[in-house]
Amino acid sequence: MANKKMVKACTRCQQRKKKCSGDLPCEYCNKIDQPQNCEYKTKVKSKTTKVTERYVTSLKNRIWELEAELTKSRVETTPDYDEGLSTSEMNPLLEPPHGMEFRPKSSGPKTSSQYLGMSACAQFLRKLKQTLADSRNGGLPVGAVTKGLVPNNIEFSLDRKYVENLAAECLPDIEDAKVLIDNAYRMIGADYMYIEARYFENTVKHVIYDEQVPHQPLELLAFTIELLRFFSYLALGSLFDRKNQDSKSLSLKFHRTAISLYGHLANMYDQAANASLVQSLLCIAYFSLSQNKTIFAFTTVGTAIRTMFALGYHKTTRSDRESRTFWLCFIYDRLLAVRFGFPLMIDEREINVPMFNEAEEAQTTRSLDMYHFAAQARLAMITTKVITMIYSKNSFSFLRNCYTVLKRLKSWFDILPDELKFDYNNIKTGLIRSTVNLHINYNYSIIITTRPVLLYLFNAILTRRDDKEKIFEQRQFDLMRILLESCIQAAEIQSGILTRLYHDGKMANSSFLDCHYIYSATIILVLAGYCQRLMKTNVIYLGDIESLFDAINNNLKILQIISEYNAAASNFNEQLTELIDMISSEEVMGVSSPDSTQKQSSVPFPRASLSPIAMPEDGSFDGREFDMKDVGFLDLSDVLNNMTSQSLAGTSVDEFFDTDFSRSYTDAQ
């Protein structure tokens, strides 16, 4: 996406008849503190090309020929019953699907072909009807001969009185509701939720507040689903409401109301399934994560994904909203899988829909919201590579896999629009939280890609206690240090960004994600500081170790402060306390020898405390501001160049590291 200034003014400047600067966001939207609502409308010229039926047939034949060649190259041994005919040629059910197909390039061995789900009897009947329609009417669209999955003669069982009483008792004042919705979107934004344009005016105000609860079954069903989505948004808005002292109890009230409504809809789930229901389930899962209810969040996201599959959003979507809903499910799937070790629920080979902004001809708006979401979805795709290449057993070299993933991360960063980039050493107060989230997630991806190497070093130090025994050859350690440096620097940057967010009052204190990012970065810094103090001849941390310990203390204090009202933060704080106590014990610290040639730090190893800590009015810790100048910008270019220069393939160092690492890391799990 090129950074171009628009010739026309943004929609808000057009409405207010203001002079627009043409930036994204523009000066006026920044001035009124609504940069996330700045967007530009562009006209899309209609391009219609007439083609003959013979040309379409020739294209289909060519596609089938290419599929046949691809199938033959993927299958090593096939029965010789129908030599010369591919599976697609023999089976008319396997014709190419409609729409743009998404097929990520795979660096691994060839796998089986894409499963299109055409084994269902309903799909067989649909194909049969399509054939009859083609032969009689010269070709009709699929929808013209196929009815929906939901029959029309449904006996609805919704209790209108129950829905009406629930709305009367739990709905807040309309002005308060608007504040909560804006609050939820500001704190979560385009990353993990989706609120369509004019949602409050068109849905909340018109459908929920201005109209009575409908009597007609279909209208009552639609109303109940939208009410469920609205309460799931209100729960998140109250969760991040710092001005109201009763926000915690209010958020739980809205959350329980949403779950109650969802349970009421469960009896007629087949009729209730739509994009609003899927979005509601994802918001309920986000809230549950913040309450440290991991299993409930995972099962709720799983229900949302299965509902999305049942609706067919992974194959074709009719609107940007449906496409956005699918990719939201994809992002949540990767989020839970990489943070909790859960299995992936969405196979990228089955995805047949583009991202909403992939097709340039279909773009009608240009906004930060679109940029944020597209960048998060692409980062989620890289998460797939992290899981399959770093945390799954495969035949490829571990160092080569690290190199591949880091290269993908660098490419992701390079193509970020300028509107989504900022200087790590100078975080401006006007940045949208979604922009900062992208960089937090980026550094987190670097950490989880490279931290197995730090664990390998940690195991080596603990198991080889003989002072005379050399743990690593210099060449071996030089190869490892490239990844170690990436891991530690990313953890430093992560800590610096989150500390600045906390000082500026922009941290989502009640969110699971923010405290999880602090937690993951602190683990790396603790292990790095410990390993550095015990290494005799090698240096893994080029900075001042006192600064590293200061960063650890800052992270611990932030976790302790927000643990008072964040269950997940309290859990992370206890785990870090246990880790530091174990590392600080005499038995573990005894690994170090008195005659070590590495200069030992006089700073005691940080100790965690569960006692409450008061935050000074000046926003500092112990009267000291966190110096952002100590945080260097992590440039992966040097990392990738150094890894390439080490000749990864076929070296004895590579073989040594892979064999030893696999055994040590597996034992540590």
Side-chain angles (χ1 to χ4, degrees):
M1 303 177 192
N3 181 24
K4 297 180 180 179
K5 288 190 175 182
M6 306 299 294
V7 177
K8 294 184 178 181
C10 70
T11 55
R12 186 170 296 275
C13 288
Q14 287 178 344
Q15 294 171 357
R16 300 289 181 89
K17 296 183 179 180
K18 299 287 185 179
K19 184 177 179 180
C20 186
S21 64
D23 296 320
L24 184 62
C26 68
E27 294 178 358
Y28 179 71
C29 290
N30 274 327
K31 183 179 179 180
I32 63 176
D33 196 25
Q34 293 188 3
Q36 70 276 7
N37 294 328
C38 183
E39 64 177 23
Y40 294 84
K41 298 288 185 180
T42 57
K43 292 184 178 180
V44 181
K45 296 182 179 179
S46 176
K47 297 181 180 180
T48 304
T49 305
K50 295 183 178 180
V51 296
T52 63
E53 184 178 353
R54 179 179 299 178
Y55 178 72
V56 174
T57 303
S58 66
L59 290 179
K60 287 185 177 181
N61 291 335
R62 180 54 181 161
I63 291 174
W64 289 340
E65 291 174 3
L66 294 174
E67 283 190 337
E69 296 176 4
L70 183 61
T71 302
K72 290 178 182 179
S73 65
R74 286 182 175 180
V75 181
E76 297 180 357
T77 58
T78 57
D80 199 24
Y81 303 130
D82 297 284
E83 186 175 0
L85 292 177
S86 71
T87 305
S88 297
E89 290 171 329
M90 295 169 57
N91 189 349
L93 287 170
L94 298 183
E95 65 183 26
H98 298 276
M100 182 187 298
E101 188 170 340
F102 172 80
R103 285 181 181 270
K105 295 181 180 180
S106 174
S107 59
K110 299 294 182 181
T111 56
S112 59
S113 300
Q114 183 189 31
Y115 175 61
L116 302 178
M118 301 303 296
S119 61
C121 294
Q123 299 289 4
F124 182 84
L125 180 60
R126 183 180 67 85
K127 286 288 186 179
L128 177 60
K129 290 181 178 180
Q130 179 69 67
T131 302
L132 291 173
D134 288 342
S135 63
R136 295 177 181 178
N137 304 320
L140 291 177
V142 177
V145 296
T146 307
K147 293 184 179 181
L149 297 177
V150 181
N152 293 327
N153 54 340
I154 297 295
E155 183 179 352
F156 293 92
S157 58
L158 274 180
D159 185 349
R160 180 184 179 279
K161 195 65 176 178
Y162 167 80
V163 177
E164 186 177 34
N165 291 338
L166 197 66
E169 294 175 2
C170 301
L171 281 178
D173 181 78
I174 188 170
E175 295 299 327
D176 294 337
K178 191 176 189 308
V179 171
L180 293 179
I181 294 296
D182 292 341
N183 191 28
Y185 190 78
R186 185 175 65 255
M187 297 306 297
I188 302 177
D191 302 297
Y192 304 110
M193 74 183 300
Y194 173 56
I195 299 179
E196 58 270 23
R198 298 186 62 81
Y199 164 75
F200 195 86
E201 291 79 4
N202 295 339
T203 302
V204 175
K205 187 176 183 299
H206 176 68
V207 176
I208 297 178
Y209 279 93
D210 289 349
E211 301 291 338
Q212 293 183 347
V213 178
H215 289 271
Q216 295 297 325
L218 285 174
E219 295 177 359
L220 177 60
L221 176 63
F223 175 86
T224 306
I225 297 172
E226 288 304 326
L227 189 63
L228 166 64
R229 180 162 68 123
F230 181 52
F231 275 119
S232 69
Y233 290 165
L234 290 177
L236 291 174
S238 301
L239 183 68
F240 303 121
D241 188 2
R242 298 179 180 178
K243 298 180 180 179
N244 187 356
Q245 295 181 351
D246 299 327
S247 60
K248 182 176 181 180
S249 59
L250 190 61
S251 64
L252 289 174
K253 174 186 176 182
F254 290 141
H255 178 65
R256 291 164 183 160
T257 303
I259 294 177
S260 177
L261 272 176
Y262 174 72
H264 195 63
L265 288 167
N267 291 330
M268 44 192 314
Y269 199 90
D270 285 3
Q271 294 76 51
N274 60 15
S276 292
L277 183 65
V278 175
Q279 293 169 16
S280 302
L281 290 171
L282 295 178
C283 289
I284 290 173
Y286 192 103
F287 187 94
S288 301
L289 279 179
S290 299
Q291 303 301 306
N292 205 33
K293 297 180 179 179
T294 306
I295 297 178
F296 181 77
F298 177 65
T299 54
T300 305
V301 170
T303 303
I305 291 175
R306 294 300 181 189
T307 305
M308 176 271 299
F309 280 143
L311 293 170
Y313 289 174
H314 64 299
K315 291 183 178 180
T316 180
T317 54
R318 297 170 296 180
S319 63
D320 283 347
R321 183 187 175 194
E322 291 183 355
S323 179
R324 178 76 169 259
T325 301
F326 166 77
W327 287 105
L328 268 177
C329 290
F330 182 82
I331 290 173
Y332 271 79
D333 182 32
R334 270 45 184 175
L335 181 150
L336 293 176
V338 77
R339 286 162 180 79
F340 299 106
F342 293 141
L344 295 174
M345 291 180 277
I346 300 178
D347 189 343
E348 289 188 10
R349 295 173 300 173
E350 310 306 325
I351 300 176
N352 193 51
V353 293
M355 265 179 280
F356 67 98
N357 69 326
E358 284 280 323
E360 295 293 334
E361 293 181 356
Q363 285 189 11
T364 57
T365 60
R366 172 177 173 262
S367 64
L368 287 176
D369 178 86
M370 179 182 70
Y371 286 177
H372 288 141
F373 189 76
Q376 282 286 8
R378 293 191 180 99
L379 200 54
M381 293 180 191
I382 301 179
T383 301
T384 308
K385 293 295 182 183
V386 174
I387 294 173
T388 57
M389 301 183 73
I390 306 299
Y391 294 95
S392 300
K393 291 185 177 180
N394 53 67
S395 58
F396 289 98
S397 159
F398 176 77
L399 289 181
R400 180 180 293 276
N401 289 345
C402 287
Y403 169 77
T404 301
V405 175
L406 289 177
K407 189 175 182 180
R408 289 281 298 270
L409 287 169
K410 182 179 184 299
S411 299
W412 175 90
F413 184 85
D414 289 342
I415 66 173
L416 273 183
D418 291 340
E419 291 89 349
L420 303 188
K421 293 181 179 179
F422 62 88
D423 184 2
Y424 287 174
N425 296 322
N426 184 24
I427 304 178
K428 298 180 180 179
T429 57
L431 282 174
I432 299 174
R433 181 60 208 265
S434 295
T435 302
V436 181
N437 287 349
L438 286 175
H439 294 266
I440 293 176
N441 209 353
Y442 166 68
N443 284 284
Y444 176 76
S445 300
I446 297 175
I447 290 174
I448 61 176
T449 299
T450 55
R451 68 185 179 190
V453 185
L454 186 58
L455 179 61
Y456 174 80
L457 175 64
F458 179 74
N459 284 337
I461 293 176
L462 289 184
T463 55
R464 304 183 186 185
R465 293 174 175 263
D466 189 352
D467 296 334
K468 298 180 180 180
E469 181 182 3
K470 198 171 184 180
I471 299 180
F472 301 110
E473 297 294 335
Q474 188 61 42
R475 175 173 166 78
Q476 296 167 350
F477 187 78
D478 289 342
L479 194 61
M480 293 169 54
R481 187 166 56 186
I482 298 169
L483 299 178
L484 291 171
E485 183 179 355
S486 300
C487 186
I488 299 170
Q489 285 190 18
E492 279 189 296
I493 294 173
Q494 193 85 298
S495 302
I497 293 176
L498 290 165
T499 301
R500 175 55 57 86
L501 284 178
Y502 184 83
H503 286 170
D504 292 344
K506 292 186 176 181
M507 176 176 286
N509 293 343
S510 299
S511 170
F512 163 82
L513 288 178
D514 277 2
C515 58
H516 179 268
Y517 289 132
I518 298 175
Y519 168 70
S520 61
T522 307
I523 292 177
I524 299 303
L525 297 179
V526 168
L527 286 183
Y530 170 78
C531 293
Q532 182 61 73
R533 292 189 62 181
L534 300 181
M535 294 292 287
K536 290 184 286 187
T537 58
N538 301 110
V539 178
I540 66 171
Y541 179 70
L542 301 179
D544 183 23
I545 197 167
E546 283 82 0
S547 298
L548 184 144
F549 285 165
D550 285 343
I552 296 174
N553 279 319
N554 287 343
N555 291 348
L556 292 173
K557 290 178 179 180
I558 292 177
L559 275 180
Q560 290 165 25
I561 292 170
I562 65 179
S563 291
E564 182 179 353
Y565 42 84
N566 189 323
S570 178
N571 177 45
F572 292 146
N573 193 40
E574 291 177 3
Q575 294 184 43
L576 288 173
T577 299
E578 182 180 2
L579 171 65
I580 294 177
D581 285 343
M582 292 176 64
I583 286 182
S584 301
S585 65
E586 295 181 0
E587 292 79 4
V588 177
M589 295 302 289
V591 177
S592 178
S593 61
D595 58 347
S596 172
T597 58
Q598 172 69 29
K599 181 181 178 180
Q600 300 295 319
S601 170
S602 60
V603 179
F605 207 84
R607 307 273 304 185
S609 172
L610 293 179
S611 58
I613 297 178
M615 187 69 181
E617 295 181 358
D618 61 356
S620 63
F621 290 133
D622 300 329
R624 296 175 297 171
E625 284 284 355
F626 186 85
D627 190 0
M628 294 296 294
K629 295 181 180 179
D630 293 337
V631 180
F633 177 73
L634 178 59
D635 185 3
L636 285 179
S637 301
D638 293 338
V639 175
L640 297 177
N641 292 336
N642 290 337
M643 291 186 68
T644 305
S645 65
Q646 295 290 342
S647 181
L648 293 179
T651 64
S652 58
V653 177
D654 198 18
E655 295 172 358
F656 159 81
F657 183 76
D658 282 341
T659 303
D660 235 26
F661 166 78
S662 298
R663 181 175 62 253
S664 301
Y665 184 64
T666 302
D667 294 341
Q669 292 298 307

